[in-house]
Amino acid sequence: MRFLCFHGMGTNGNVGIFLPGPLSTPWQCFSPRYGRGTDVKVFERQTATLRQALGRTHEFVFLTGTVPSRAPGEVDGHDATLGSAPWTNDGYRFLGEDRETNMALLNDLIRSVLELGPFDGVMGFSEGGAVAASLLVEDTRRPFARFRCGIFLSAARPPDPDNIMTGSDRRLDFYTDGVVLNIPTAHIWSPSGEICPGMGRNLALLCNQTLREEFVHLLGHQVPGSVSDEFLSGTIKAIERTVERARASG
């Protein structure tokens, strides 16, 4: 299957494609909004073990946001710049602080999907997971890609795509909006840690209970497999079940 991948706030992805084969051999691609590159840096490192465990029949395309952002230098056990500073300045995010940036975001992402696609699903961590979920919601309401599944790693609540287009920052909420996604989804999240404990549960509630897989770990706000193999097996099983559901749906 082919996945479009979104990094967390303050890190980066750069646009790169990892095809079936050696994980260290990316293919270069280009998207007008999100730049060009062959090094997927932080999010590629965060998911390397995870992707390898899933097998080499999947293809991953990584996007980098355009809004400069800072993040703690320690990102999932790795220093984001391979340096010693406690904070880094070469990170990016997808969502900005101004309405114009966010209003342009959805159209830019749709254009990137059409140029780089087709895709079977999305994968996102933290803020990237929220943006990926918004893209799925938009595809549900106004189909443009026919995504078949979503993989969410400690993902934040997604902005409502209808409100993004009007400049609002309202986030979707289960108790207000109910279930908004009815495709197979995997939700990997942790109730522990000092950074964003429990992030991921609210997005899971927005997804059809009969089509979602949840795996809860105790690693805090990080991607299982990025530091150690602890909890990696449960993560893989949840994602594999989601992929199989998506394949079975045609």
Side-chain angles (χ1 to χ4, degrees):
M1 299 191 80
R2 199 162 188 260
F3 294 92
L4 187 62
C5 305
F6 298 78
H7 63 80
M9 183 179 72
T11 61
N12 53 61
N14 284 352
V15 175
I17 297 180
F18 275 79
L19 296 171
L23 290 178
S24 60
T25 309
W27 284 24
Q28 191 175 61
C29 63
F30 176 70
S31 168
R33 175 77 175 175
Y34 291 99
R36 174 170 52 192
T38 56
D39 177 14
V40 289
K41 294 186 179 178
V42 177
F43 194 38
E44 182 272 324
R45 292 204 309 266
Q46 288 172 318
T47 59
T49 302
L50 180 62
R51 289 183 290 106
Q52 189 169 29
L54 285 170
R56 293 176 175 174
T57 60
H58 302 298
E59 181 179 335
F60 301 87
V61 178
F62 293 78
L63 292 182
T64 286
T66 60
V67 181
S69 178
R70 299 198 309 170
E74 191 72 13
V75 180
D76 285 2
H78 301 284
D79 186 276
T81 59
L82 302 181
S84 59
W87 291 86
T88 67
N89 292 303
D90 65 343
Y92 295 90
R93 63 183 302 181
F94 292 95
L95 296 169
E97 300 297 331
D98 60 280
R99 292 187 176 187
E100 290 75 16
T101 297
N102 293 337
M103 289 173 69
L105 173 66
L106 192 60
N107 285 331
D108 291 333
L109 290 176
I110 291 173
R111 185 171 66 248
S112 293
V113 169
L114 296 177
E115 291 177 355
L116 300 173
F119 294 99
D120 298 292
V122 298
M123 179 172 72
F125 170 63
S126 195
E127 184 201 68
V131 173
S134 290
L135 201 61
L136 294 187
V137 174
E138 175 67 14
D139 190 42
T140 296
R141 295 173 178 173
R142 290 166 285 272
F144 64 93
R146 305 290 181 180
F147 288 113
R148 299 160 64 190
C149 63
I151 300 171
F152 302 109
L153 305 159
S154 296
R157 277 195 302 137
D160 186 331
D162 289 344
N163 290 84
I164 288 178
M165 297 305 294
T166 62
S168 168
D169 60 358
R170 189 185 86 86
R171 302 269 175 156
L172 291 168
D173 179 76
F174 172 73
Y175 299 102
T176 301
D177 303 288
V179 171
V180 296
L181 287 177
N182 288 288
I183 60 174
T185 55
H187 304 266
I188 318 301
W189 60 279
S190 176
S192 60
E194 296 181 2
I195 301 175
C196 307
M199 182 176 283
R201 177 56 179 161
N202 288 328
L203 173 56
L205 292 174
L206 291 164
C207 301
N208 189 319
Q209 184 176 7
T210 65
L211 296 174
R212 78 178 186 233
E213 293 286 336
E214 280 190 76
F215 179 68
V216 180
H217 59 83
L218 301 176
L219 299 175
H221 195 63
Q222 62 176 263
V223 178
S226 60
V227 177
S228 71
D229 289 341
E230 189 177 14
F231 297 105
L232 181 60
S233 176
T235 299
I236 295 299
K237 289 178 182 177
I239 294 174
E240 287 178 337
R241 285 193 289 263
T242 299
V243 168
E244 288 306 310
R245 281 200 184 103
R247 285 174 170 161
S249 68

